Amino acid sequence: MRTLAIIKPDAVRKNVVGKIVSQITESGFTVLGMKMIRISRQQAEAFYAVHRERPFFGELTEFMSSGPIVPIALEKDNAVTDFRGLIGATNPAEAAEGTIRKLYASSLGENAVHGSDSEDNGRLEVAFFFAEAELADNLS
Ligand code: ADP
Ligand code: MG
């Protein structure tokens, strides 16, 4: 099963990309694809379209387009649930000890990492950032 991780601009600015990638791979995830990019406000709005009516949509899309991000296509049995466990609660104040958000998030909005919330969204979100041909399990 696939899931999409994104190391968000706050964590890139804190220079903890390497530490987060290490924690992800040490937790049994295989990296199929990874890149550092900057997305436009419009791309952030498209990625988070499900949240467009929420009061934090403007803040979220401004933040996600404020600097480089690192989308990572991950593979693992039970990837979606296991990755949500690894990152912890949305609000770092409520995230369990040792989770990526507990360790690196700054606030509820600037919370270091994204993780897909369902198997379908994992597939769709990986496809938002990666062409199928550039993922490691499609290279020969
Ligand atoms: P998650 O990322 O844990 O799946 P959501 O899908 O509910 O959480 O929200 C998407 C992102 O929007 C969060 O990771 C966070 O960056 C931001 N966000 C969520 N709720 C708030 C809020 N109340 N205020 C500001 N930002 C928020
Ligand atoms: Mg979500």
Side-chain angles (χ1 to χ4, degrees), residues 16-36:
V16 291
V17 169
K19 287 181 175 174
I20 292 174
V21 173
S22 292
Q23 188 168 350
I24 292 170
T25 55
E26 283 164 10
S27 302
F29 294 84
T30 299
V31 173
L32 300 179
M34 175 164 64
K35 54 189 162 190
M36 180 176 281

Side-chain angles (χ1 to χ4, degrees), residues 48 51 84 114-115 117:
Y48 280 114
H51 292 312
R84 300 281 307 188
H114 168 82
D117 65 3

Side-chain angles (χ1 to χ4, degrees), residues 8 48 51 56 59-60 84 90 101 108-109 111 114-115:
K8 296 186 178 183
Y48 280 114
H51 292 312
F56 57 82
E59 178 189 329
L60 173 61
R84 300 281 307 188
T90 307
R101 282 169 166 166
L108 172 56
N111 60 359
H114 168 82

